[in-house]
Amino acid sequence: MIPITRPSMGEAEAEAARRAIMSGWISQGPEVAAFEREFAEAVGALHACAVSNCTTALHLALLACGVGPGDEVITVSHSYIATANAIRYCGATPIFVDIEPDGFNIDATQIESALTTRTRAILCVHQIGMPCDLATIVEIAHRRNIPVIEDAACAIGGEILWRGSWERIGKPHGDVACFSFHPRKVISTGDGGMITTANAQWDATFRLLRQHGMSVPDTVRHGANRVIFESYGQLGYNYRMTDIQAAVGREQLKRLPQIVAARRALAERYRSLLASIPGLELPREPGWARSNWQSFCVRLPDGCDQRAVMQTMLDEGVSTRRGIMCSHREPAYSDQPLRSSLARSEFAQDRSIILPLYPEMTAAEQDLVQAALAQACLLQEPATSAESSFQQRCDEVAERQ
Ligand SMILES: Cc1ncc(COP(=O)(O)O)c(C=O)c1O
């Protein structure tokens, strides 16, 4: 069976976990502090704050930007549901904007028309590791004094051409960036997250809120030679990362350049292997972006049934995942407003599949994926052009909205 992904871990990570366990300090402590310093250095950020996962990172980032009840946050529906959920945790409303015609990221040209006097932030996503059009988004937002939060859950190791030089995602180029270390991501700590910013005050807020709003951290009280009573000045959360996770993360971070290089080479090889499948659309990398290829997502030829293709491939021993979901189609979002057409998002969800990709993947495994996909597409009855046309799907969606 070829899995969709496989965390790239070994003895070094196992030894690091052991080191933390044997140290006697296993909750948020010195390993977390070291991971934060090393992460900040790796992405070129002034501050990095480790948290329990990217969902909690997004929640804290939105709170630091002042997002609250009655506010609106511009984002995409076409993302993992955690993106929109984090906005709702603040009591705010996600305002969904459609994606680009030929990619999986927000269509920056549609942001202006979604802005209202209630817009409190823009939450853009570097979907499946491909940097979104930050230059346009930041320009629109900063002209109106609106902060930009980057959902960089999948984007560690990705790069963007910024004012003439290549920079890592996470500097951040907006105001805050949030990362995930879930096992489907490029580096993992089991679960885990990181928030980067250049704003020292926001960084202090993240540190306070991730630990119950505690005035004096337990690490400080533990090392003090006099008794200290902490206080809780505001409502906080338990969004901490443990030292065991951070120790593993530090080892993963050391291997990030090799991991990204391997993923990029595999993506390049997929590109030439899959070019022979008629009608299959391969992912596009704009000239100003370097993806970490957290996922390799292809659009199926017209007339191919997504589920049937996935089932045929599974029967051949190749695991795939459906294209990126749309939050607005989930029952949990049935009461949320829709202000514009999300036809491209829906089309992308229904017509794309994610192929296996992990650094240790062999050429033989990639060849098997190609063969299984080619066969699955061949087995599909071509639909009539009227049934499959994108325009017809747009009209259907517009009618429903
Ligand atoms: C775009 C995006 N945002 C947020 C998340 C949530 O990350 P986590 O699982 O670390 O909370 C994910 C996870 O898959 C994601 O893909």
Side-chain angles (χ1 to χ4, degrees), residues 53-251:
N53 54 63
C54 185
T55 312
T56 55
L58 291 169
H59 186 196
L60 296 189
L62 289 157
L63 290 176
C65 291
V67 174
D71 290 335
E72 294 176 356
V73 176
I74 291 179
T75 192
V76 278
S77 167
H78 186 256
S79 182
Y80 187 57
I81 199 162
T83 308
N85 281 353
I87 296 168
R88 293 179 65 192
Y89 295 164
C90 301
T93 304
I95 302 299
F96 295 131
V97 167
D98 212 356
I99 57 168
E100 309 153 312
D102 53 353
F104 300 108
N105 278 327
I106 191 167
D107 180 353
T109 66
Q110 295 193 27
I111 292 179
E112 297 249 33
S113 57
L115 294 168
T116 71
T117 51
R118 293 182 172 200
T119 308
R120 194 63 188 240
I122 297 175
L123 173 47
C124 57
V125 183
H126 303 301
Q127 198 53 261
I128 50 174
M130 183 68 77
C132 64
D133 183 3
L134 273 178
T136 306
I137 296 166
V138 167
E139 196 273 322
I140 294 169
H142 288 181
R143 214 172 340 119
R144 289 171 176 76
N145 245 343
I146 298 169
V148 174
I149 300 168
E150 298 169 48
D151 182 339
C154 306
I156 180 69
E159 293 180 343
I160 190 160
L161 189 60
W162 196 255
R163 295 177 188 136
S165 43
W166 286 99
E167 296 186 342
R168 282 258 171 95
I169 291 295
K171 186 179 179 183
H173 300 90
D175 298 277
V176 191
C178 300
F179 294 87
S180 171
F181 304 123
H182 177 271
R184 280 282 300 276
K185 307 303 185 286
V186 167
I187 61 172
S188 183
T189 59
D191 253 319
M194 192 70 78
I195 321 175
T196 59
T197 184
N199 186 323
Q201 207 181 325
W202 284 0
D203 182 62
T205 301
F206 303 146
R207 289 169 193 283
L208 190 69
L209 294 186
R210 74 174 168 182
Q211 177 136 287
H212 305 286
M214 187 189 285
S215 62
V216 185
D218 46 5
T219 39
V220 174
R221 283 184 283 124
H222 180 75
N225 57 11
R226 59 190 176 86
V227 173
I228 301 175
F229 287 173
E230 83 283 16
S231 67
Y232 300 83
Q234 67 185 101
L235 181 69
Y237 308 87
N238 180 356
Y239 285 174
R240 289 175 299 219
M241 175 184 278
T242 70
D243 257 24
I244 303 171
Q245 292 169 302
V248 171
R250 293 178 70 191
E251 292 306 320

